[in-house]
mmCIF file of all heavy atoms in Angstrom:
data_model
loop_
_atom_site.group_PDB
_atom_site.id
_atom_site.type_symbol
_atom_site.label_atom_id
_atom_site.label_comp_id
_atom_site.label_asym_id
_atom_site.label_seq_id
_atom_site.Cartn_x
_atom_site.Cartn_y
_atom_site.Cartn_z
ATOM 1 N N ILE B 1477 24.423 193.029 78.376
ATOM 2 C CA ILE B 1477 24.422 192.388 77.054
ATOM 3 C C ILE B 1477 23.823 190.986 77.173
ATOM 4 O O ILE B 1477 22.994 190.578 76.367
ATOM 5 C CB ILE B 1477 25.865 192.317 76.494
ATOM 6 C CG1 ILE B 1477 26.323 193.731 76.108
ATOM 7 C CG2 ILE B 1477 25.939 191.389 75.280
ATOM 8 C CD1 ILE B 1477 27.763 193.807 75.644
ATOM 9 N N PHE B 1478 24.230 190.276 78.223
ATOM 10 C CA PHE B 1478 23.724 188.913 78.373
ATOM 11 C C PHE B 1478 22.247 188.875 78.742
ATOM 12 O O PHE B 1478 21.525 187.994 78.291
ATOM 13 C CB PHE B 1478 24.588 188.133 79.370
ATOM 14 C CG PHE B 1478 25.781 187.556 78.665
ATOM 15 C CD1 PHE B 1478 26.925 188.312 78.505
ATOM 16 C CD2 PHE B 1478 25.728 186.297 78.094
ATOM 17 C CE1 PHE B 1478 28.009 187.813 77.804
ATOM 18 C CE2 PHE B 1478 26.811 185.797 77.402
ATOM 19 C CZ PHE B 1478 27.967 186.558 77.254
ATOM 20 N N ILE B 1479 21.824 189.845 79.525
ATOM 21 C CA ILE B 1479 20.388 189.892 79.859
ATOM 22 C C ILE B 1479 19.585 190.132 78.586
ATOM 23 O O ILE B 1479 18.622 189.430 78.292
ATOM 24 C CB ILE B 1479 20.092 190.994 80.905
ATOM 25 C CG1 ILE B 1479 20.680 190.591 82.259
ATOM 26 C CG2 ILE B 1479 18.600 191.238 81.034
ATOM 27 C CD1 ILE B 1479 20.604 191.675 83.324
ATOM 28 N N LEU B 1480 20.038 191.124 77.784
ATOM 29 C CA LEU B 1480 19.313 191.451 76.562
ATOM 30 C C LEU B 1480 19.355 190.281 75.575
ATOM 31 O O LEU B 1480 18.362 189.971 74.915
ATOM 32 C CB LEU B 1480 19.907 192.707 75.916
ATOM 33 C CG LEU B 1480 19.675 194.001 76.704
ATOM 34 C CD1 LEU B 1480 20.365 195.171 76.034
ATOM 35 C CD2 LEU B 1480 18.183 194.282 76.838
ATOM 36 N N LEU B 1481 20.524 189.627 75.511
ATOM 37 C CA LEU B 1481 20.675 188.492 74.607
ATOM 38 C C LEU B 1481 19.733 187.361 75.031
ATOM 39 O O LEU B 1481 19.015 186.782 74.207
ATOM 40 C CB LEU B 1481 22.138 188.015 74.652
ATOM 41 C CG LEU B 1481 22.636 187.303 73.408
ATOM 42 C CD1 LEU B 1481 22.577 188.234 72.219
ATOM 43 C CD2 LEU B 1481 24.074 186.827 73.615
ATOM 44 N N THR B 1482 19.722 187.080 76.334
ATOM 45 C CA THR B 1482 18.867 186.003 76.840
ATOM 46 C C THR B 1482 17.399 186.311 76.567
ATOM 47 O O THR B 1482 16.652 185.451 76.083
ATOM 48 C CB THR B 1482 19.086 185.826 78.364
ATOM 49 O OG1 THR B 1482 20.470 185.689 78.587
ATOM 50 C CG2 THR B 1482 18.369 184.612 78.899
ATOM 51 N N LEU B 1483 17.003 187.558 76.844
ATOM 52 C CA LEU B 1483 15.596 187.924 76.623
ATOM 53 C C LEU B 1483 15.228 187.772 75.155
ATOM 54 O O LEU B 1483 14.182 187.211 74.821
ATOM 55 C CB LEU B 1483 15.345 189.370 77.065
ATOM 56 C CG LEU B 1483 15.325 189.636 78.573
ATOM 57 C CD1 LEU B 1483 15.229 191.139 78.841
ATOM 58 C CD2 LEU B 1483 14.144 188.931 79.234
ATOM 59 N N ASN B 1484 16.138 188.241 74.265
ATOM 60 C CA ASN B 1484 15.836 188.179 72.833
ATOM 61 C C ASN B 1484 15.895 186.755 72.305
ATOM 62 O O ASN B 1484 15.054 186.368 71.489
ATOM 63 C CB ASN B 1484 16.781 189.099 72.056
ATOM 64 C CG ASN B 1484 16.271 190.533 72.061
ATOM 65 O OD1 ASN B 1484 15.254 190.834 71.467
ATOM 66 N ND2 ASN B 1484 16.948 191.387 72.802
ATOM 67 N N VAL B 1485 16.872 185.976 72.784
ATOM 68 C CA VAL B 1485 16.969 184.588 72.323
ATOM 69 C C VAL B 1485 15.717 183.816 72.756
ATOM 70 O O VAL B 1485 15.139 183.055 71.988
ATOM 71 C CB VAL B 1485 18.260 183.917 72.861
ATOM 72 C CG1 VAL B 1485 18.206 182.416 72.703
ATOM 73 C CG2 VAL B 1485 19.462 184.467 72.124
ATOM 74 N N ASN B 1486 15.258 184.082 73.986
ATOM 75 C CA ASN B 1486 14.014 183.447 74.451
ATOM 76 C C ASN B 1486 12.846 183.828 73.557
ATOM 77 O O ASN B 1486 12.002 182.998 73.234
ATOM 78 C CB ASN B 1486 13.695 183.887 75.886
ATOM 79 C CG ASN B 1486 14.490 183.089 76.892
ATOM 80 O OD1 ASN B 1486 15.017 182.019 76.564
ATOM 81 N ND2 ASN B 1486 14.602 183.600 78.093
ATOM 82 N N HIS B 1487 12.846 185.098 73.194
ATOM 83 C CA HIS B 1487 11.774 185.613 72.341
ATOM 84 C C HIS B 1487 11.821 184.932 70.960
ATOM 85 O O HIS B 1487 10.806 184.489 70.438
ATOM 86 C CB HIS B 1487 11.952 187.132 72.246
ATOM 87 C CG HIS B 1487 11.217 187.802 71.134
ATOM 88 N ND1 HIS B 1487 9.846 187.843 71.084
ATOM 89 C CD2 HIS B 1487 11.671 188.461 70.027
ATOM 90 C CE1 HIS B 1487 9.488 188.507 69.992
ATOM 91 N NE2 HIS B 1487 10.568 188.888 69.333
ATOM 92 N N TRP B 1488 13.057 184.819 70.412
ATOM 93 C CA TRP B 1488 13.199 184.165 69.105
ATOM 94 C C TRP B 1488 12.827 182.671 69.216
ATOM 95 O O TRP B 1488 12.186 182.120 68.341
ATOM 96 C CB TRP B 1488 14.648 184.284 68.591
ATOM 97 C CG TRP B 1488 15.058 185.690 68.276
ATOM 98 C CD1 TRP B 1488 14.225 186.688 67.862
ATOM 99 C CD2 TRP B 1488 16.366 186.253 68.380
ATOM 100 N NE1 TRP B 1488 14.945 187.858 67.711
ATOM 101 C CE2 TRP B 1488 16.269 187.623 68.008
ATOM 102 C CE3 TRP B 1488 17.613 185.764 68.735
ATOM 103 C CZ2 TRP B 1488 17.348 188.475 67.982
ATOM 104 C CZ3 TRP B 1488 18.699 186.617 68.718
ATOM 105 C CH2 TRP B 1488 18.562 187.960 68.352
ATOM 106 N N ALA B 1489 13.263 182.051 70.315
ATOM 107 C CA ALA B 1489 12.962 180.632 70.504
ATOM 108 C C ALA B 1489 11.453 180.432 70.570
ATOM 109 O O ALA B 1489 10.903 179.467 70.030
ATOM 110 C CB ALA B 1489 13.621 180.136 71.786
ATOM 111 N N ASP B 1490 10.798 181.394 71.226
ATOM 112 C CA ASP B 1490 9.349 181.323 71.353
ATOM 113 C C ASP B 1490 8.693 181.413 69.977
ATOM 114 O O ASP B 1490 7.811 180.621 69.627
ATOM 115 C CB ASP B 1490 8.922 182.516 72.220
ATOM 116 C CG ASP B 1490 7.637 182.236 72.942
ATOM 117 O OD1 ASP B 1490 7.430 181.059 73.311
ATOM 118 O OD2 ASP B 1490 6.842 183.175 73.129
ATOM 119 N N ASP B 1491 9.182 182.399 69.188
ATOM 120 C CA ASP B 1491 8.674 182.563 67.812
ATOM 121 C C ASP B 1491 8.895 181.298 67.013
ATOM 122 O O ASP B 1491 8.016 180.832 66.286
ATOM 123 C CB ASP B 1491 9.435 183.708 67.114
ATOM 124 C CG ASP B 1491 8.809 185.044 67.443
ATOM 125 O OD1 ASP B 1491 7.803 185.036 68.178
ATOM 126 O OD2 ASP B 1491 9.343 186.071 66.988
ATOM 127 N N PHE B 1492 10.122 180.763 67.186
ATOM 128 C CA PHE B 1492 10.481 179.581 66.400
ATOM 129 C C PHE B 1492 9.603 178.391 66.802
ATOM 130 O O PHE B 1492 9.126 177.648 65.947
ATOM 131 C CB PHE B 1492 11.962 179.234 66.638
ATOM 132 C CG PHE B 1492 12.450 178.116 65.744
ATOM 133 C CD1 PHE B 1492 12.734 178.352 64.407
ATOM 134 C CD2 PHE B 1492 12.591 176.836 66.236
ATOM 135 C CE1 PHE B 1492 13.155 177.324 63.587
ATOM 136 C CE2 PHE B 1492 13.022 175.810 65.431
ATOM 137 C CZ PHE B 1492 13.307 176.040 64.104
ATOM 138 N N SER B 1493 9.357 178.266 68.102
ATOM 139 C CA SER B 1493 8.556 177.120 68.536
ATOM 140 C C SER B 1493 7.139 177.228 67.977
ATOM 141 O O SER B 1493 6.492 176.235 67.705
ATOM 142 C CB SER B 1493 8.549 177.007 70.056
ATOM 143 O OG SER B 1493 7.835 178.075 70.595
ATOM 144 N N ARG B 1494 6.688 178.472 67.776
ATOM 145 C CA ARG B 1494 5.364 178.648 67.176
ATOM 146 C C ARG B 1494 5.388 178.200 65.709
ATOM 147 O O ARG B 1494 4.425 177.610 65.223
ATOM 148 C CB ARG B 1494 4.915 180.105 67.266
ATOM 149 C CG ARG B 1494 4.504 180.419 68.670
ATOM 150 C CD ARG B 1494 3.932 181.778 68.888
ATOM 151 N NE ARG B 1494 3.743 181.948 70.306
ATOM 152 C CZ ARG B 1494 2.756 181.404 71.001
ATOM 153 N NH1 ARG B 1494 1.840 180.672 70.386
ATOM 154 N NH2 ARG B 1494 2.675 181.569 72.307
ATOM 155 N N SER B 1495 6.527 178.507 65.051
ATOM 156 C CA SER B 1495 6.593 178.102 63.641
ATOM 157 C C SER B 1495 6.919 176.615 63.524
ATOM 158 O O SER B 1495 6.773 176.027 62.459
ATOM 159 C CB SER B 1495 7.633 178.943 62.897
ATOM 160 O OG SER B 1495 8.902 178.611 63.382
ATOM 161 N N CYS B 1496 7.371 176.004 64.610
ATOM 162 C CA CYS B 1496 7.687 174.574 64.600
ATOM 163 C C CYS B 1496 6.466 173.746 64.990
ATOM 164 O O CYS B 1496 6.561 172.832 65.800
ATOM 165 C CB CYS B 1496 8.797 174.272 65.611
ATOM 166 S SG CYS B 1496 10.409 174.633 64.982
ATOM 167 N N GLN B 1497 5.308 174.142 64.433
ATOM 168 C CA GLN B 1497 4.116 173.384 64.803
ATOM 169 C C GLN B 1497 4.144 171.989 64.195
ATOM 170 O O GLN B 1497 4.717 171.769 63.134
ATOM 171 C CB GLN B 1497 2.874 174.113 64.290
ATOM 172 C CG GLN B 1497 2.578 175.375 65.075
ATOM 173 C CD GLN B 1497 1.561 176.225 64.376
ATOM 174 O OE1 GLN B 1497 1.565 176.327 63.129
ATOM 175 N NE2 GLN B 1497 0.686 176.823 65.141
ATOM 176 N N ILE B 1498 3.499 171.060 64.913
ATOM 177 C CA ILE B 1498 3.306 169.703 64.353
ATOM 178 C C ILE B 1498 1.974 169.763 63.609
ATOM 179 O O ILE B 1498 1.017 170.363 64.103
ATOM 180 C CB ILE B 1498 3.213 168.669 65.495
ATOM 181 C CG1 ILE B 1498 4.533 168.611 66.279
ATOM 182 C CG2 ILE B 1498 2.855 167.298 64.941
ATOM 183 C CD1 ILE B 1498 4.466 167.757 67.524
ATOM 184 N N GLN B 1499 1.932 169.144 62.414
ATOM 185 C CA GLN B 1499 0.651 169.120 61.704
ATOM 186 C C GLN B 1499 0.202 167.670 61.552
ATOM 187 O O GLN B 1499 0.984 166.815 61.100
ATOM 188 C CB GLN B 1499 0.790 169.789 60.337
ATOM 189 C CG GLN B 1499 -0.561 170.117 59.724
ATOM 190 C CD GLN B 1499 -0.446 171.067 58.537
ATOM 191 O OE1 GLN B 1499 0.653 171.471 58.163
ATOM 192 N NE2 GLN B 1499 -1.577 171.390 57.933
ATOM 193 N N VAL B 1500 -0.997 167.385 62.007
ATOM 194 C CA VAL B 1500 -1.507 166.004 61.848
ATOM 195 C C VAL B 1500 -2.652 166.001 60.835
ATOM 196 O O VAL B 1500 -3.515 166.878 60.877
ATOM 197 C CB VAL B 1500 -1.989 165.403 63.201
ATOM 198 C CG1 VAL B 1500 -0.824 165.086 64.107
ATOM 199 C CG2 VAL B 1500 -2.994 166.280 63.893
ATOM 200 N N PHE B 1501 -2.584 165.059 59.908
ATOM 201 C CA PHE B 1501 -3.621 164.960 58.869
ATOM 202 C C PHE B 1501 -4.584 163.832 59.233
ATOM 203 O O PHE B 1501 -4.176 162.736 59.662
ATOM 204 C CB PHE B 1501 -2.977 164.718 57.501
ATOM 205 C CG PHE B 1501 -2.160 165.911 57.063
ATOM 206 C CD1 PHE B 1501 -0.798 165.995 57.338
ATOM 207 C CD2 PHE B 1501 -2.777 166.978 56.409
ATOM 208 C CE1 PHE B 1501 -0.057 167.100 56.969
ATOM 209 C CE2 PHE B 1501 -2.043 168.088 56.032
ATOM 210 C CZ PHE B 1501 -0.678 168.157 56.309
#
Side-chain angles (χ1 to χ4, degrees):
Chain B
I1477 289 176
F1478 275 86
I1479 290 173
L1480 291 177
L1481 206 62
T1482 308
L1483 287 173
N1484 276 292
V1485 165
N1486 279 342
H1487 163 66
W1488 294 331
D1490 206 34
D1491 275 359
F1492 186 76
S1493 69
R1494 285 185 186 283
S1495 68
C1496 279
Q1497 288 167 322
I1498 296 172
Q1499 195 166 1
V1500 288
F1501 294 93

